Amino acid sequence: MALSLTRLNQYRSMWVLVFFDLPTETTTERKVASGFRKRLITDGFAMFQFSIYMRFCPSRENAAVHIKRTKNALPKKGKVCIMQITDKQFGMMELFHGKKAVEPESPSQQLELF
């Protein structure tokens, strides 16, 4: 196998994004929405924007694990969208705070155990 294929390359590593719009009118609905958000954070997701959380995964297989965990935590009500994109696609995203462009977050180094 050629050494040009690195273990973490921009086409193999993935970003998992979870978009959600959950009801929060009652106390129970707020607890369910908060619990879903806390499960995402516990699983290593970080808030990108309100109701949008993201997580870097070093491989498609690792992304599938976190997508499965998210699906298992889905609330009964509300809308949830799970999207995965390559690190290369994520790097092409243009981010702005007002009219000022900002750099996207770079993935953190994660220890991978075999």
Side-chain angles (χ1 to χ4, degrees):
M1 190 170 208
L3 290 175
S4 63
L5 293 175
T6 60
R7 185 159 180 78
L8 291 175
N9 71 41
Q10 292 181 323
Y11 297 99
R12 181 166 161 69
S13 53
M14 305 294 293
W15 284 89
V16 177
L17 289 94
V18 178
F19 307 81
F20 58 91
D21 186 12
L22 303 176
T24 57
E25 292 179 12
T26 67
T27 303
T28 303
E29 289 174 339
R30 283 190 293 275
K31 284 183 182 179
V32 168
S34 178
F36 179 70
R37 188 183 71 77
K38 286 178 183 177
R39 280 190 217 102
L40 289 174
I41 293 168
T42 300
D43 194 29
F45 284 83
M47 185 169 61
F48 184 64
Q49 290 186 358
F50 294 118
S51 299
I52 302 175
Y53 282 72
M54 65 181 186
R55 185 184 200 292
F56 176 77
C57 298
S59 68
R60 291 179 189 273
E61 296 80 13
N62 184 257
V65 168
H66 295 286
I67 289 170
K68 184 177 180 180
R69 285 184 191 158
T70 302
K71 287 180 179 179
N72 288 336
L74 289 175
K76 292 182 181 179
K77 296 180 181 179
K79 297 178 184 176
V80 178
C81 171
I82 303 170
M83 180 173 70
Q84 56 182 322
I85 60 174
T86 65
D87 189 43
K88 180 72 171 175
Q89 291 168 321
F90 186 84
M92 294 186 318
M93 184 179 356
E94 294 184 68
L95 298 174
F96 299 89
H97 286 210
K99 291 192 177 232
K100 183 179 178 185
V102 294
E103 290 295 318
E105 261 187 51
S106 59
S108 60
Q109 285 295 94
Q110 295 185 0
L111 178 63
E112 189 172 331
L113 301 176
F114 300 94

